[in-house]
Amino acid sequence: MSQLSFQGPGAFRGPYAPPGDKSISHRAILFGALAEGESVYENFLEAEDCLHTLEAMRRMGIEIHHEKGTGKVRISGKGMHGLSAPGQELYLGNSGTSLRLLLGILAGQRFEAVLAGDPSLSGRPMRRVTDPLKRMGAQIKGRENGNFAPLTIRGGKLRGIDFDNQLSSAQVKSALLLAGMYAENRTLIREAIPSRDHTERFLEAAGAPFQKFGHDLVIEKTEMLLPMRARVAGDISSAAFFIAGAAMVSGSEVTLQDVGLNPTRTGLLEVLKRMGAKIETQVTQTIPEPMGNIHVRGAKLKGTGITPQEIPSLIDELPVLMVAMALAEGESLISGAAELRVKETDRIHSMVVNLKRLGASIDELPDGALIRGVEEFHGATVESFGDHRTAMSMGVASLAAKGTITVMDTACMATSYPAFMEHFRRLLKS
Ligand code: S3P
């Protein structure tokens, strides 16, 4: 089993450019496949999750040119009805985004497909997507009434529905927007707390009949999508390890370049600033996705509360934020984050168990955690729980550790961030 040792303490210093955004890279492939003509992307994230989406589209007859290591992809889109039945099961590894978004597209196809994943993905709830897709007219079968992969889907004629996205899940919203492009009448999605809006931005850029009215999103039957050319913004969720790590350790100073600054994704920056972090951002691009540079200097942070309204904007950053909170002066409270329990692992549990091993003072709550800051961590052996973000967060914790943190089962880092260790070593100054 893979394992990594992180010798603490340390600080991050230097310039840093994060890899391409995972959410945007998935959507680049999906929209590229359905567009009419060639889409070209740079800085595509060459991580396992996004490569599963790419491979799935190839298996449905889409030609995709990808030179490994360059971040460049060229997708020869075949239009809204150009996909063909995959000869075999589509295996999506650990990737919830691949599975849920592909279900949305497959709901509109007149063939059958089987979608499968690794044990973690096969244990994650899917009825949040399969129930509304069935209401639209798709036929979906899987364990426990379509709640767990492997899932067999046969699409066809769909009707639009009204849907209240109470979980504020961008994956659910995106699946229904994608299916909505194939439905006879309009599909309306209401979202009280907005989740990441990358799919909406793709719909707009591709010329789809999509409109936003406050919290209501409306998609109508779509005849054609335009191909696109763009550079994928740097992933703020990957950058988060270096942002939080630099912010929480005095003596750190990191300048991040070309990071995605989509306001539906920047909750981490707001919370860290509230904790007293020294963070400055400079926006350099606004369309199709806001992007810019971030300058972070280390400081002693103070505890804060995170409200349920903030959760969707920092859902993937909570593990590393918990590390920063465990070192902040005073108390921090995370609430309204029950969704963390159904990620690649139960991230509330994985982080509480691991942080306790490092000497943190933290209580597990049903929907979050109560954390009282300590001065420093001690060395220990911790587990990734098979979860990339838990593993990388533990590496970051070593910056404040007196001793060595050994993280077990670290191969999962490649799910979203194959270059994590290379970047970590480059920025680490002991
Ligand atoms: C994602 C949405 C989020 C996030 C995931 C990627 C997306 O999941 O946690 O890493 O690309 O739409 P939920 O929509 O389930 O909250």
Side-chain angles (χ1 to χ4, degrees):
M1 192 190 268
S2 53
Q3 68 180 67
L4 287 165
S5 285
F6 297 85
Q7 170 71 54
F12 287 144
R13 275 199 290 278
Y16 163 75
D21 188 89
K22 180 158 82 74
S23 293
I24 299 175
S25 295
H26 282 295
R27 287 155 175 86
I29 300 291
L30 300 177
F31 277 88
L34 302 181
E36 256 163 54
E38 188 177 79
S39 292
V40 184
Y41 287 93
E42 283 179 30
N43 206 31
F44 168 78
L45 175 64
E46 296 173 350
E48 284 172 3
D49 272 16
C50 301
L51 293 173
H52 281 301
T53 294
L54 187 154
E55 215 39 60
M57 275 304 177
R58 276 188 178 150
R59 283 177 193 254
M60 290 191 279
I62 302 298
E63 209 180 292
I64 304 177
H65 184 81
H66 169 224
E67 255 174 69
K68 219 172 151 236
T70 62
K72 273 196 193 152
V73 285
R74 271 194 288 124
I75 309 148
S76 302
K78 285 190 170 175
M80 292 298 293
H81 301 281
L83 300 182
S84 46
Q88 46 183 295
E89 158 189 294
L90 300 173
Y91 179 73
L92 305 167
N94 196 240
S95 180
T97 310
S98 309
L99 178 50
R100 294 192 176 120
L101 271 56
L102 278 168
L103 281 171
I105 291 175
L106 288 165
Q109 313 304 316
R110 296 185 177 278
F111 54 75
E112 188 172 282
V114 180
L115 304 177
D118 70 7
S120 157
L121 186 57
S122 309
R124 294 179 67 187
M126 293 300 148
R127 276 188 65 180
R128 53 184 61 200
V129 185
T130 56
D131 277 355
L133 288 178
K134 282 187 200 167
R135 269 214 284 143
M136 291 177 81
Q139 294 172 42
I140 307 176
K141 290 197 190 84
R143 271 183 303 127
E144 291 186 27
N145 226 345
N147 202 22
F148 296 107
L151 294 165
T152 305
I153 178 164
R154 174 174 283 279
K157 206 170 153 60
L158 301 183
R159 54 190 170 271
I161 56 167
D162 288 4
F163 181 79
D164 192 359
N165 189 18
Q166 284 176 359
L167 294 172
S168 288
S169 162
Q171 293 181 355
V172 173
K173 170 176 70 176
S174 302
L176 300 186
L177 286 171
L178 290 165
M181 296 197 293
Y182 292 94
E184 281 312 319
N185 46 318
R186 66 111 182 87
T187 299
L188 182 147
I189 299 165
R190 183 159 294 156
E191 197 173 45
I193 308 176
S195 60
R196 64 191 68 194
D197 66 358
H198 306 298
T199 302
E200 293 92 305
R201 287 171 187 266
F202 267 93
L203 287 169
E204 275 163 3
F210 165 76
Q211 277 181 294
K212 257 200 267 188
F213 304 96
H215 289 302
D216 290 355
L217 310 173
V218 177
I219 179 78
E220 289 180 67
K221 193 172 168 87
T222 305
E223 298 304 330
M224 95 115 169
L225 294 174
L226 299 167
M228 279 177 260
R229 273 174 184 267
R231 184 175 168 82
V232 176
D235 197 329
I236 191 161
S237 301
S238 296
F241 299 104
F242 298 97
I243 297 171
M248 73 187 194
V249 173
S250 300
S252 287
E253 181 156 12
V254 175
T255 307
L256 299 96
Q257 290 140 8
D258 298 337
V259 188
L261 291 174
N262 181 318
T264 60
R265 296 279 301 279
T266 50
L268 171 80
L269 303 180
E270 303 314 316
V271 173
L272 283 174
K273 281 188 208 161
R274 210 155 68 218
M275 294 172 77
K278 296 187 174 128
I279 297 178
E280 284 156 39
T281 48
Q282 179 207 7
V283 177
T284 54
Q285 172 192 300
T286 51
I287 291 173
E289 286 277 347
M291 196 163 96
N293 303 327
I294 306 178
H295 184 75
V296 189
R297 270 183 304 133
K300 177 74 189 166
L301 302 180
K302 51 183 191 300
T304 192
I306 301 185
T307 62
Q309 277 67 26
E310 288 178 306
I311 297 294
S313 69
L314 45 69
I315 185 79
D316 291 343
E317 291 68 74
L318 281 167
V320 77
L321 199 47
M322 286 164 88
V323 173
M325 287 177 157
L327 295 166
E329 198 183 311
E331 248 180 34
S332 293
L333 176 67
I334 299 171
S335 56
E339 274 295 294
L340 264 196
R341 294 204 182 271
V342 290
K343 294 295 176 190
E344 288 81 331
T345 189
D346 175 344
R347 286 183 179 156
I348 297 180
H349 184 70
S350 66
M351 290 304 297
V352 168
V353 168
N354 282 343
L355 284 169
K356 276 188 177 159
R357 285 201 196 154
L358 304 184
S361 171
I362 179 165
D363 295 327
E364 185 168 345
L365 304 176
D367 65 342
L370 177 64
I371 307 169
R372 289 158 298 269
V374 294
E375 280 298 316
E376 62 187 11
F377 298 133
H378 52 70
T381 296
V382 296
E383 315 288 331
S384 73
F385 291 80
D387 172 48
H388 52 130
R389 299 200 200 277
T390 298
M392 294 186 278
S393 299
M394 286 297 111
V396 171
S398 70
L399 297 180
K402 228 180 181 179
T404 303
I405 297 180
T406 301
V407 189
M408 305 302 294
D409 189 14
T410 47
C412 55
M413 288 178 182
T415 299
S416 65
Y417 201 166
F420 176 76
M421 280 314 293
E422 186 192 324
H423 292 171
F424 188 97
R425 288 189 185 114
R426 199 184 302 152
L427 285 174
L428 182 68
K429 307 283 175 302
S430 48

